[in-house]
């Protein structure tokens, strides 16, 4: 990690189902520590992250920063962890060595005994994501301003006809948000940061989420990452079923009026719609 302060975006949904970008925390670095100051207590992010990091320190040490202490700052929760060596990945496609190292960090996470995970289901977890995305897509959408509204309309309708019905398997711990910026590499190993949305999940669901993360497009090699993690045949099949669900999630974020549409160049929404249709095909 580098720099003195970093703000990472999160996503929330307002009553009209417009998705707005908000920053969830600030990061301050010392030579040996990272101070993560949360904007609010509203979603229990600090409690969730502290519980996750404590669990990982016991069952999978070395794949995430060691939690040191908790405090408050002007009424805001703060978690202090060790500062990891290395730099965030994501500026270029992962090399085979980096992909192997990432798999070596994710596998111990997934192998934590589920009976030890007392944090509950991850945010946007497998028991409710199909219903959530279906609700978002079913809302009326103003597609004015798009280059090809017909393409986007077709993607929405096709997805609503084919939303996955895979039974959730809550059998493992996950990180939830694997934006490549949350992977810290030092040339030999990869470690993971940002567990504020993490907890009980399904490895197949997690890999689908990671592969379809918009920031990971062109960074992760899907087949290589699945091999590096070591999904079973059944998990691999579920992962492929879940991928369109996450592609649809990112399409929603890039519809007019939502955060992704405002932040990205024209044509991004259409590109995501085409990608989603290709997965469904």
């Amino acid at each position: 990690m580098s720099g003195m302060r970093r703000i990472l975006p999160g996503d929330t949904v307002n009553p009209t189902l417009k998705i707005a970008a908000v920053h969830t925390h600030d990061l301050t670095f010392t030579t040996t520590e990272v101070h993560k100051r949360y904007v609010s207590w509203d979603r229990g992010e600090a409690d969730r992250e502290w519980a996750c990091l404590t669990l990982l320190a016991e069952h999978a040490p070395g794949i995430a920063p060691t939690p040191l202490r908790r405090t408050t700052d002007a009424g805001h929760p703060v978690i202090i962890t060790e500062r990891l060596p290395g730099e965030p990945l994501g500026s270029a496609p992962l090399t085979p060595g980096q992909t192997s190292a990432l798999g070596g960090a994710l596998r111990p996470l997934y192998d934590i005994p589920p009976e030890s995970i007392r944090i509950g289901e991850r945010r946007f977890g497998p028991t409710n994501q199909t219903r959530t995305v279906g609700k978002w897509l079913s809302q009326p959408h103003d597609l004015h301003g798009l280059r090809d509204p017909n393409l986007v309309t077709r993607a929405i309708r096709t997805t609503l006809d084919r939303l996955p019905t895979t039974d959730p398997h809550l059998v493992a711990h996950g990180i939830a948000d694997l934006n490549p910026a949350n992977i810290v590499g030092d040339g030999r190993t990869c470690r993971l940061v940002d567990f504020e949305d993490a907890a009980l999940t399904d490895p197949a669901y997690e890999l689908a989420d990671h592969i379809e993360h918009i920031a990971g497009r062109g960074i992760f090699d899907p087949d290589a990452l699945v091999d590096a993690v070591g999904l079973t045949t059944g998990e691999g099949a579920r992962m492929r079923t879940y991928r369109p669900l996450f592609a649809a999630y990112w399409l929603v974020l890039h519809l007019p009026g939502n955060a992704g549409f405002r932040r990205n160049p024209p044509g991004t929404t259409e590109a995501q719609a085409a990608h989603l249709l290709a997965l469904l095909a």
Side-chain angles (χ1 to χ4, degrees):
M1 292 179 164
S2 61
M4 292 302 296
R5 186 171 183 269
R6 184 173 58 157
I7 295 175
L8 300 181
D11 297 295
T12 58
V13 181
N14 70 23
T16 60
L17 294 179
K18 295 298 183 183
I19 298 177
V22 297
H23 78 272
T24 61
H25 59 265
D26 301 332
L27 296 181
T28 304
F29 300 88
T30 72
T31 303
T32 59
E33 296 179 346
V34 177
H35 295 230
K36 186 172 184 177
R37 179 182 183 270
Y38 295 83
V39 172
S40 74
W41 302 82
D42 292 349
R43 291 191 289 108
E45 299 99 326
D47 292 336
R48 180 184 290 266
E49 181 140 26
W50 183 260
C52 287
L53 291 176
T54 302
L55 180 71
L56 267 58
E58 178 182 357
H59 291 278
I63 68 170
T66 300
L68 301 177
R69 60 192 182 276
R70 302 183 66 175
T71 186
T72 59
D73 177 13
H76 294 269
V78 180
I79 286 179
I80 296 135
T81 68
E82 68 170 325
R83 182 173 180 174
L84 298 174
E87 296 291 333
L89 303 183
S91 60
L94 298 192
T95 66
Q98 289 171 329
T99 299
S100 177
L102 177 56
L106 291 172
R107 189 68 256 173
L109 184 63
Y110 301 153
D111 287 340
I112 293 175
E115 62 270 16
S116 303
I117 306 169
R118 305 183 186 278
I119 310 164
E121 187 176 353
R122 59 160 279 182
R123 190 162 179 261
F124 293 116
T127 65
N128 55 40
Q129 186 74 331
T130 296
R131 182 171 61 254
T132 298
V133 171
K135 182 178 180 180
W136 288 347
L137 289 175
S138 297
Q139 301 300 306
H141 300 288
D142 182 359
L143 302 183
H144 288 94
L146 290 176
R147 290 177 171 177
D148 191 347
N150 291 333
L151 172 65
V152 175
T153 298
R154 182 158 58 92
I156 291 172
R157 290 175 177 172
T158 303
T159 303
L160 286 171
D161 288 340
R162 301 186 187 180
L163 282 172
T165 57
T166 300
D167 292 331
H169 291 65
L170 297 177
V171 295
H173 197 293
I175 183 173
D177 183 6
L178 199 68
N179 185 320
N182 293 335
I183 306 166
V184 180
D186 63 4
R188 297 182 301 105
T189 62
C190 285
R191 296 181 177 89
L192 309 173
V193 300
D194 201 351
F195 285 83
E196 65 186 53
D197 292 332
L200 197 61
T201 187
D202 173 7
Y205 186 83
E206 291 290 293
L207 262 291
D209 186 352
H210 304 338
I211 288 167
E212 289 302 321
H213 197 296
I214 200 77
R217 195 73 52 79
I219 302 297
F220 300 138
D221 179 325
D223 293 335
L225 184 56
V226 167
D227 288 344
V229 170
L231 292 189
T232 66
T233 301
E235 288 171 337
R238 288 204 308 279
M239 186 274 296
R240 289 188 292 273
T241 299
Y242 279 129
R243 281 187 64 180
L245 179 62
F246 284 103
Y249 168 85
W250 286 104
L251 177 62
V252 171
L253 265 62
H254 287 82
L255 292 176
N258 288 338
F261 184 80
R262 294 191 296 271
R263 289 200 303 258
N264 288 282
T268 301
T269 306
E270 288 85 348
Q272 184 65 21
H275 172 70
L276 173 55
L277 286 169
L279 287 177
L280 292 170

